[in-house]
Amino acid sequence: MLSRPKSEEFLPHFQVYVNLVPEGNLLELLKEQSSQIVDQLASVTEEQGAYRYAEGKWSLKEVIGHMADTERIMSYRLLRIARGDTTPLPGFEEQLFVSNAGFDRFTLGELLEDFQNVRKATLSLIRGLDETAWQRMGHYGGGEGSARSLGYIIAGHAIHHLNIINERYLA
């Protein structure tokens, strides 16, 4: 079983995500998470999908799109690092990604399907990694991190946003 990454395996601002991941099998958690997110949001209306809890905040659709985009980026980083690539990988501006994606023009169903497809690709990648790959370190976003930490960051990022969805969009 994959153990929780040490704090020196990721940049400090990712600690919040790593802390959210419960003990247990990361692969199983990621599988369950995908179903949980889709099940929880399947009955949300398009009107609710357009909801913004405050001026300047993302719509629920934009949050779902952001979750998929971030997972794409983190999975790409995980792939590069797990394969031994030590080329420094750039950070990304999440606000820029969301503002240029046009997520509000998609249905909630389309965005949830996209998230599921991204998660399936992440699961496919993770299933093929051995212990050596998980331990490899690389450079991304101006710091150093392990492949293992990226798996936890992916899971924790989804938990973080699901908590926000429950507290601010569906409450």
Side-chain angles (χ1 to χ4, degrees):
M1 185 168 69
L2 190 63
S3 60
R4 183 175 298 280
K6 298 177 179 116
S7 60
E8 57 269 13
E9 291 182 54
F10 52 86
L11 297 169
H13 65 272
F14 290 123
Q15 184 74 57
V16 66
Y17 302 138
V18 173
N19 287 348
L20 288 172
V21 179
E23 293 298 327
N25 185 309
L26 182 65
L27 185 63
E28 287 303 314
L29 171 69
L30 290 167
K31 281 187 212 173
E32 291 168 10
Q33 230 179 28
S34 182
S35 298
Q36 175 192 11
I37 289 168
V38 171
D39 291 347
Q40 186 167 351
L41 299 177
S43 63
V44 172
T45 67
E46 291 301 315
E47 183 179 337
Q48 289 172 302
Y51 174 73
R52 298 167 192 273
Y53 66 87
E55 187 175 328
K57 294 298 183 179
W58 295 339
S59 70
L60 177 55
K61 288 181 176 184
E62 288 173 326
V63 172
I64 296 166
H66 162 73
M67 290 169 65
D69 272 359
T70 300
E71 185 157 330
R72 280 183 178 97
I73 291 165
M74 295 300 174
S75 289
Y76 176 70
R77 290 172 173 176
L78 194 159
L79 170 68
R80 299 271 305 259
I81 293 168
R83 299 293 194 253
D85 188 347
T86 58
T87 305
L89 302 170
F92 73 103
E93 295 296 327
E94 62 183 30
Q95 294 290 352
L96 182 68
F97 273 53
V98 170
S99 66
N100 288 318
F103 292 127
D104 284 328
R105 67 188 158 100
F106 295 99
T107 68
L108 274 167
E110 290 169 332
L111 291 166
L112 289 171
E113 180 181 8
D114 185 52
F115 177 80
Q116 280 184 299
N117 290 334
V118 171
R119 180 55 60 92
K120 284 178 186 174
T122 299
L123 289 168
S124 178
L125 170 62
I126 287 174
R127 276 188 208 101
L129 299 180
D130 62 17
E131 187 62 30
T132 301
W134 281 115
Q135 300 302 320
R136 287 191 179 112
M137 298 290 288
H139 303 276
Y140 60 88
E144 189 174 47
S146 69
R148 172 173 63 175
S149 72
L150 286 161
Y152 275 78
I153 291 165
I154 289 167
H157 183 259
I159 293 168
H160 168 76
H161 282 292
L162 192 54
N163 289 342
I164 290 172
I165 288 168
N166 287 323
E167 294 166 8
R168 298 183 184 167
Y169 291 89
L170 302 180

